Amino acid sequence: MSLKQKLISIVGEQYVSDGLAEKYVYSFDMTENPPKRPAMVVMPESVQQLQQIVRIANKDRVPLVPFVTGQNIGGLTIPQVDDAVTVDLKRMNKIVEVDDEAMYAVVEPGVTFGHLRKYLDEHNPSLTYTYPLAPPYTSVLANALLQGLCDLSTMRGAMGDFINGLEAILPTGEIVRAGSAIMGDGNWFGRYPLPDLVGLFSGWQGMSGFVTKIAVQLWPKKQFTRHAALFTFGEVPTTELLKRIARAQLIDDADCMSLSIVKMLLGVSPPVQVYGGEPDYGTLLTLSGNIEKEADAKYELIETFVEDARKNESRQLLVDWDAISRMLGDQAKSWVDFPSDAFKVLTEYDGLTWVGTYIHPKHWGEALSGGRKIVEKYGFELMAYLKPMNSMHFGEFKFIIRFPKDDATVEKVRHCNEELLDFALSLKALPYKTPVWAAKKLQQNADPGFVELLKRIRKTLDPNGIMNPGRWGL
Amino acid sequence: MSPYESVIADWLHRCNRCGTCKYIFRDYGPSCPSGEQYRFESYFASGRISIARALTTGEIDWQESLLKPTFACTECGACQIQCMAPHREHIVEMIEELRSLVVDKLGPLPPHRAIAESISRKHNPYEATHHNREIVQQLNLPDKADTVLFLGCTSNYKETSVRDATLSVLKKAGINFTVVDEYCCGSPLLRTGQRAFARQAAEHNLEAFEKAGAERVITSCAGCYRTLSKDYKKLGFDLDIDLLHSVQLVNELLTEKKLKVTQQGSIGRVTYHDPCHLGRHMGVYEEPRQMLGVLPVEFVEMHPNEKNAWCCGAGGGVKSSFPELAQATAAIRLGHARAVNADILVSACPFCKRNLSDANQGQVAKVLDIVELVDLAT
Ligand SMILES: Cc1cc2nc3c(=O)[nH]c(=O)nc-3n(C[C@H](O)[C@H](O)[C@H](O)COP(=O)(O)OP(=O)(O)OC[C@H]3O[C@@H](n4cnc5c(N)ncnc54)[C@H](O)[C@@H]3O)c2cc1C
Ligand code: SF4
Ligand code: SF4
C-alpha cells in the first residue's frame, strides 16, 4: 500500500491531498524563508487518527511537519527535507475543558484565539485568556508552545509560562502527559512539583512530537480596565520609562511601537515616514483594577513616573484613552479589544517578517537604537515593536518588515534580518520563533553543551528523526 | 483584446495568508463555505489567491489537480467582507480571473462546458426551449414599455413560481411593463471563467432593451441583477438604463401603497436569507427587510445575516460541479433558519430558493422567494 493509501485509510480520501495546489500552498509562509513543498498534506480529526499517522511515519521513516495556520513568522511550517508530509491539525479543534475554579482551559491544536475568546465570553465570562497582536485565527496551542507574547505578557511573561500541562504523541507513537493531569482528567492545575517535562515540547517547534492537548492558564477579568497612550522620544529614555512602569507592576500590558505603526493604524498609506519633531514611539498601556480606585491609583502613579521622565525629556507625553477615543471613535475601542484588529496594518503586502528577540533589560535601549540604524540603512519603514516582559524581568523587541515578495525585496529583507540578528546576538538576545537560519547563528554563539543536549534529547525521543526534521538546523 | 485589466497582476503581492477571511471578525463563526467544507488552506480565499499568483509568476504549472480548488468556491464574497488587506474588494474578481486563465489552458469543467453549450444553443443554461415570447402573448404585454422585466433563466425555466409571482405583482401594481426576447444574462459564464461567450449575451440583451424602449430593467434574480449592473459595465457597455432588483421596486410600491396588503392574519414566522449577489455584491440589505416589516409575517433575523450572511451554496458554478458543497452549505443555512424557529425561509433569488429547497430536509416548512410572499399577501 502506498503512503497515500495508508493515510487515506486513516482519515478518509477527502483529507489527504498530494495535489499541486495543496503542495504549493503549504510550501511557504509570509516570511522570506525559502519555500519547500511537502509531498502530501493530511488532516486528522482526532488523537487516535494522529497517533496512527505517527506510527506509520515512524515505521516508514516519513518526515512529518505539524501545521495549524502557519502564521508563526518564522518559516516554521515550511518542510526542510524532501518527501515530508504536512499534518494540518485544524480539524482537531475541541475546547476540551474550562475549569472555572482552577482557571485553566484545555484545548486541542486547532483552537484559535478567536474561538477561545468566543467560548469564554459565552461560558466563562468572568475569565479571560491572553491574546497576541495577531490575526484572531492562529493556534492557541502553537502560540503557547512557541513561547509567544500576548496582552498579559508585561505582567506575566511569555506564553510558555502559561502552560499548565500537555498531552502529546511521541514520535514513536506513544501518548504521554506532562503536568498535574498525569493524575487524570479534570486536574490540569499546574506543572509543579514534578520534573518539568513540558520543556520537552515547549520551544521545540514540533521536533519532539505532536502536542494534542494543552492546558493554559486563564485569568479573572478585572472589573475596571483603563488604557492610555504614551508618546516618547529617544530609545533609551523610552525603554527606561517603560522599565520603571513595568517594574512597579502597574500595567497588565504595554505595546510600544514606532510612531510609523501608529500612523499606519491611523490610515497613512505606505511607505510611512516619520518626521523630525514627531515622537519616536507610541505605547498602548493597559492597566486594571478590581475597583475603579485601584485602576485610577495605578494611572496616577504612571502620571508621576512620566512627570519624572519629563525632567530629562520634556516632550514625553501621557494621554488618557478617553481623549484618544474622542478623536478616533470606534476605531480606538477596536484596537484595545483583543483579539484586536490592529494587526491589519501588517497585512499590507504578501510578505511579513521580523527578527524578534527576548533580551536582558540592560541591553534593551541599545538594542532598539542599534536595530533602528540597521533598518534605516536598508530603507524599510521603521516598525519597531517592544514589550516589557514578566514585570520587567526581560524585554522583547522586534523590527517588523512588511514587504512585497518580489525577488529583489526578499533578498534585501534577508540581508537586513541577518544584520539585525547579528546585532541582537552580540547583545546576547535570544531570537524567538526561530527560523532555521537564525537558529544556526544562535548555535554558533551559544553554549555548545546546550546544543549537544538538544541533539541528544531529540535522538532519544525521535530515533528515526521524523518530527519536523531540519528545524533549528538539527 | 480582453476588456479586463488583470486584477491578479494589480494585487500580486498582497494577500499574506493571515486567515482573517476564514471567519466572521469578532463573531468567530465560519465565513467561507468552501474552506469550511474542504478544510485545506487551498480552499480558502488565500489559497486561491496564492494559486493565481503562482500561475502568474510561473512558480507552478497548469495541472488538472488545480481545477477543484479553483472552482469549488461559490464566489459568495464573504472573504471580501472579512479581509482587511488592501486587495479586499477584488478577491472575487481575482478568483474569476484565475478561473478564466484556467479555462483558457485546461478547458472548463464538464458541467460548466455543458452550461455554455446550452446557453449558446438555447440561450439558457438548462437545455430548456427558449420561450420568452410566449409570456408576452399569454399576458398580452406590449412590444414597447418603459419598464422591462428581465425574467432570468432560473425563474423562467426552473423556479417558475418566482417568475409568475413577479409578473402577478407587477400587474397588480399597474406597472406598464414588458418582457423582451432575453438571453441568459451571462452570469453562469462569467462566474465559471468562460468570459468569451458572455459578451454576445450582453450585446443581445442590451439591444433587446433598447428595442423595447426600456428606461428601467427589473429582475427578481440576484445573479442577473449583479451581472446586468456590474459585469456589463466591466465588459465595456455603457448602460443608460436604471437597473433594479424587484425588491427595490416592490418595496417602493408597498411603501407608496400602490400595492396593498390584503391578507388577513400572519402567513407565518419568516426569516430572510440575503443572497450573496444582492447583499454583499450589490449592497442591497434594507429593502427586503422593510418589505417584511410591512407584510403580515412574524419576521425574525437569523444569524449570521446581511453582510456576514452564510451563502446558500449554489453560486459560482458550484451547484452543477460540486453538488456536495452546494448541499452542505445549504444545509448549514437551513440550520440557521431552524435555530430561530422559522417556518418559512425567504430569499430574493430563484437560485437560492432552488438550492435551499433541494437541501431542505424539514428544517423549515417552506422555502419561498420574497416576491412570492408579496404575491400571497397582496
Ligand atoms: C500579523 C501577525 C502578528 C502576530 N503577532 C503576534 C504576537 O503579538 N505575539 C505572538 O506571540 N505571536 C504573534 N503572531 C504569531 C501567531 O500568534 C502565532 O504564530 C500563532 O499563535 C501560532 O499559531 P499558528 O497557527 O501560526 O501555528 P503554526 O505556524 O501552524 O505552527 C507553529 C509551530 O508549531 C508547530 N506546531 C503546530 N502545532 C503543533 C502541535 N500540535 N504539536 C507540536 N508542534 C506543533 C509547527 O510545526 C510550527 O513549528 C503573529 C502572527 C501574525 C501573522
Ligand atoms: S484574503 Fe485577506 S484576509 Fe484572507 S488571508 Fe489574504 S490578506 Fe488575509
Ligand atoms: S468567495 Fe466565498 S467560497 Fe469563495 S473563497 Fe471567498 S468566502 Fe470562500
Side-chain angles (χ1 to χ4, degrees):
Chain A
M1 220 199 265
S2 71
L3 176 64
K4 186 175 175 187
Q5 283 165 333
K6 287 181 193 169
L7 295 176
I8 288 174
S9 73
I10 298 168
V11 298
E13 191 151 15
Q14 200 188 340
Y15 298 114
V16 181
S17 177
D18 57 0
L20 178 58
E22 288 69 49
K23 288 202 278 198
Y24 174 70
V25 170
Y26 287 83
S27 72
F28 63 90
D29 67 7
M30 49 188 86
T31 65
E32 76 287 8
N33 289 286
K36 188 170 183 70
R37 293 180 197 174
M40 231 172 278
V41 185
V42 59
M43 276 197 283
E45 192 185 22
S46 64
V47 178
Q48 289 68 30
Q49 287 183 355
L50 182 55
Q51 186 181 31
Q52 288 178 56
I53 293 169
V54 173
R55 285 201 165 129
I56 286 172
N58 189 42
K59 191 156 161 279
D60 298 353
R61 305 197 173 207
V62 178
L64 298 177
V65 180
F67 178 104
V68 187
T69 73
Q71 295 193 58
N72 52 75
I73 323 270
L76 307 186
T77 54
I78 301 174
Q80 296 299 303
V81 297
D82 291 338
D83 301 321
V85 172
T86 296
V87 185
D88 182 334
L89 300 164
K90 71 162 76 68
R91 294 176 68 220
M92 293 176 64
N93 59 1
K94 286 194 264 314
I95 295 175
V96 180
E97 183 193 339
V98 173
D99 189 311
D100 224 281
E101 191 172 1
M103 294 183 291
Y104 64 75
V106 182
V107 299
E108 290 190 334
V111 173
T112 73
F113 286 97
H115 294 104
L116 184 56
R117 157 87 196 252
K118 184 181 166 107
Y119 185 94
L120 293 176
D121 284 353
E122 283 171 13
H123 300 95
N124 304 80
S126 67
L127 294 175
T128 183
Y129 188 49
T130 168
Y131 304 98
L133 208 58
Y137 313 115
T138 61
S139 165
V140 167
L141 178 146
N143 174 269
L145 289 179
L146 289 174
Q147 307 160 341
L149 54 144
C150 297
D151 71 340
L152 284 175
S153 288
T154 297
M155 183 66 94
R156 309 200 181 278
M159 302 317 300
D161 293 342
F162 283 56
I163 302 174
N164 272 3
L166 49 79
E167 176 193 90
I169 302 175
L170 296 179
T172 40
E174 302 87 346
I175 297 178
V176 296
R177 280 187 179 191
S180 55
I182 57 171
M183 304 306 288
D185 288 340
N187 197 54
W188 296 87
F189 64 80
R191 282 152 68 170
Y192 317 120
L194 286 170
D196 190 6
L197 297 186
V198 167
L200 291 178
F201 304 93
S202 170
W204 279 82
Q205 303 182 356
M207 285 184 288
S208 51
F210 281 95
V211 177
T212 46
K213 288 183 189 73
I214 200 163
V216 288
Q217 292 169 3
L218 306 172
W219 300 91
K221 250 192 229 158
K222 296 274 179 68
Q223 289 290 307
F224 295 90
T225 300
R226 275 186 78 163
H227 300 279
L230 180 62
F231 293 99
T232 50
F233 289 80
E235 280 67 33
V236 173
T238 297
T239 48
E240 288 305 313
L241 178 53
L242 288 177
K243 279 188 210 175
R244 192 161 177 216
I245 296 170
R247 269 178 88 107
Q249 303 201 10
L250 297 174
I251 48 174
D252 299 341
D253 200 46
D255 283 314
C256 175
M257 54 201 103
S258 296
L259 192 77
S260 23
I261 302 184
V262 177
K263 287 184 168 183
M264 290 166 195
L265 287 168
L266 294 172
V268 175
S269 311
V272 177
Q273 315 268 354
V274 178
Y275 301 101
E278 290 181 333
D280 294 309
Y281 297 96
T283 304
L284 168 66
L285 298 173
T286 305
L287 48 100
S288 60
N290 291 304
I291 52 170
E292 201 167 3
K293 257 193 190 158
E294 186 187 348
D296 290 347
K298 285 179 178 175
Y299 186 79
E300 278 167 29
L301 214 51
I302 294 171
E303 279 180 319
T304 62
F305 290 174
V306 176
E307 243 353 277
D308 271 359
R310 286 162 68 97
K311 289 177 192 144
N312 292 326
E313 172 48 89
S314 62
R315 294 170 299 173
Q316 315 297 47
L317 181 68
L318 183 70
V319 185
D320 188 73
W321 203 252
D322 284 349
I324 307 268
S325 297
R326 274 196 299 278
M327 249 161 37
L328 299 173
D330 282 352
Q331 182 59 72
K333 194 167 151 252
S334 189
W335 289 339
V336 298
D337 184 10
F338 278 70
S340 155
D341 67 355
F343 73 87
K344 66 187 170 199
V345 299
L346 306 181
T347 62
E348 186 70 24
Y349 300 108
D350 56 346
L352 180 71
T353 188
W354 53 65
V355 169
T357 63
Y358 293 160
I359 192 167
H360 192 295
K362 71 181 169 196
H363 295 308
W364 207 21
E366 186 188 352
L368 195 57
S369 43
R372 174 177 183 160
K373 286 193 194 101
I374 294 169
V375 174
E376 281 171 348
K377 186 178 90 184
Y378 280 91
F380 290 117
E381 294 165 310
L382 191 57
M383 296 177 71
Y385 174 93
L386 53 157
K387 195 188 275 292
M389 299 286 291
N390 199 14
S391 303
M392 212 57 254
H393 285 91
F394 61 106
E396 180 266 354
F397 82 96
K398 62 175 162 274
F399 284 93
I400 302 170
I401 306 176
R402 49 180 201 173
F403 62 101
K405 274 179 131 184
D406 57 77
D407 292 347
T409 313
V410 167
E411 210 39 45
K412 193 163 104 167
V413 166
R414 284 193 183 131
H415 288 303
C416 181
N417 272 352
E418 281 199 32
E419 222 171 297
L420 282 168
L421 182 69
D422 287 340
F423 176 63
L425 291 174
S426 75
L427 298 173
K428 300 196 180 98
L430 293 173
Y432 61 79
K433 303 181 181 170
T434 323
V436 174
W437 66 269
K440 286 182 179 164
K441 274 183 186 285
L442 172 68
Q443 285 169 38
Q444 285 161 14
N445 290 264
D447 171 19
F450 168 74
V451 181
E452 200 40 51
L453 181 59
L454 274 186
K455 287 182 182 161
R456 215 188 287 175
I457 293 172
R458 181 165 152 71
K459 187 79 197 155
T460 310
L461 289 177
D462 187 4
N464 295 325
I466 60 160
M467 284 306 303
N468 218 348
R471 289 268 121 237
W472 261 71
L474 297 181
Chain B
M1 215 187 82
S2 160
Y4 293 91
E5 304 278 317
S6 172
V7 264
I8 296 174
D10 283 350
W11 303 99
L12 195 62
H13 289 298
R14 294 297 174 164
C15 168
N16 71 2
R17 217 170 68 195
C18 72
T20 309
C21 50
K22 291 176 177 174
Y23 301 96
I24 300 168
F25 192 66
R26 294 209 194 287
D27 169 287
Y28 311 115
S31 85
C32 172
S34 160
E36 216 37 38
Q37 170 76 4
Y38 300 109
R39 310 310 301 268
F40 290 110
E41 292 293 314
S42 37
Y43 287 83
F44 292 95
S46 53
R48 299 190 168 94
I49 294 171
S50 302
I51 295 167
R53 181 168 56 218
L55 286 170
T56 308
T57 57
E59 275 179 89
I60 57 173
D61 51 11
W62 306 90
Q63 281 189 15
E64 296 274 318
S65 67
L66 298 176
L67 290 171
K68 190 170 174 192
T70 299
F71 286 99
C73 149
T74 60
E75 297 196 345
C76 66
C79 44
Q80 300 202 159
I81 299 292
Q82 308 310 327
C83 175
M84 299 183 195
H87 62 280
R88 61 184 168 275
E89 285 168 21
H90 305 281
I91 298 174
V92 171
E93 277 178 279
M94 290 164 96
I95 294 171
E96 279 184 8
E97 183 180 337
L98 166 66
R99 290 177 172 194
S100 80
L101 295 173
V102 169
V103 166
D104 285 351
K105 292 282 180 187
L106 301 173
L109 296 178
H112 296 165
R113 186 191 298 278
I115 285 173
E117 283 167 2
S118 172
I119 291 174
S120 131
R121 273 186 283 114
K122 308 234 166 131
H123 312 306
N124 68 74
Y126 299 118
E127 289 288 350
T129 308
H130 181 63
H131 69 54
N132 297 47
R133 302 310 293 166
E134 285 166 27
I135 289 169
V136 173
Q137 280 150 21
Q138 276 163 18
L139 297 185
N140 210 7
L141 298 176
D143 282 342
K144 283 180 174 270
D146 294 354
T147 302
V148 162
L149 173 65
F150 191 85
L151 297 170
C153 304
T154 306
S155 80
N156 199 19
Y157 300 108
K158 292 284 177 191
E159 299 297 328
T160 51
S161 56
V162 179
R163 174 197 66 195
D164 296 341
T166 314
L167 289 164
S168 160
V169 166
L170 292 184
K171 284 250 162 207
K172 280 187 216 170
I175 306 276
N176 176 32
F177 72 98
T178 191
V179 169
V180 296
D181 178 30
E182 70 182 47
Y183 286 2
C184 168
C185 68
S187 175
L189 301 170
L190 290 164
R191 310 282 90 85
T192 57
Q194 307 180 88
R195 287 172 169 178
F197 301 114
R199 224 188 139 72
Q200 293 159 16
E203 264 165 14
H204 169 89
N205 287 330
L206 293 175
E207 210 177 288
F209 297 155
E210 204 175 314
K211 240 199 255 167
E215 282 174 18
R216 67 175 175 182
V217 173
I218 291 151
T219 180
S220 285
C221 175
C224 299
Y225 175 56
R226 186 224 130 103
T227 305
L228 297 171
S229 310
K230 268 196 174 167
D231 294 291
Y232 282 17
K233 270 197 201 116
K234 269 202 266 167
L235 285 165
F237 296 107
D238 195 9
L239 273 76
D240 193 18
I241 295 174
D242 280 345
L243 284 159
L244 293 177
H245 188 275
S246 56
V247 292
Q248 294 168 309
L249 176 68
V250 174
N251 183 45
E252 205 177 287
L253 295 172
L254 284 169
T255 316
E256 290 171 2
K257 307 255 184 307
K258 288 184 183 151
L259 261 178
K260 292 204 179 71
V261 175
T262 52
Q263 160 87 22
Q264 304 286 313
S266 174
I267 297 176
R269 190 170 161 92
V270 171
T271 193
Y272 175 69
H273 166 73
D274 291 275
C276 304
H277 282 129
L278 187 62
R280 278 188 286 266
H281 290 227
M282 295 301 296
V284 178
Y285 300 110
E286 279 309 307
E287 290 87 339
R289 290 178 166 79
Q290 284 167 7
M291 288 161 71
L292 290 167
V294 173
L295 295 174
V297 296
E298 187 193 342
F299 174 49
V300 53
E301 288 280 8
M302 63 180 157
H303 181 80
N305 64 354
E306 299 196 357
K307 69 181 192 328
N308 294 328
W310 180 254
C311 171
C312 80
V318 161
K319 188 157 176 70
S320 58
S321 289
F322 303 97
E324 78 287 359
L325 172 57
Q327 146 75 34
T329 306
I332 293 174
R333 194 55 171 155
L334 286 155
H336 296 156
R338 187 175 178 89
V340 293
N341 293 321
D343 313 315
I344 306 174
L345 170 57
V346 298
S347 185
C349 175
F351 209 40
C352 295
K353 179 185 173 191
R354 185 149 181 257
N355 199 46
L356 292 165
S357 311
D358 288 352
N360 187 15
Q361 294 188 325
Q363 291 97 324
V364 292
K366 262 188 249 167
V367 180
L368 289 178
D369 192 276
I370 193 161
V371 169
E372 293 177 87
L373 212 56
V374 174
D375 194 32
L376 269 174
T378 54

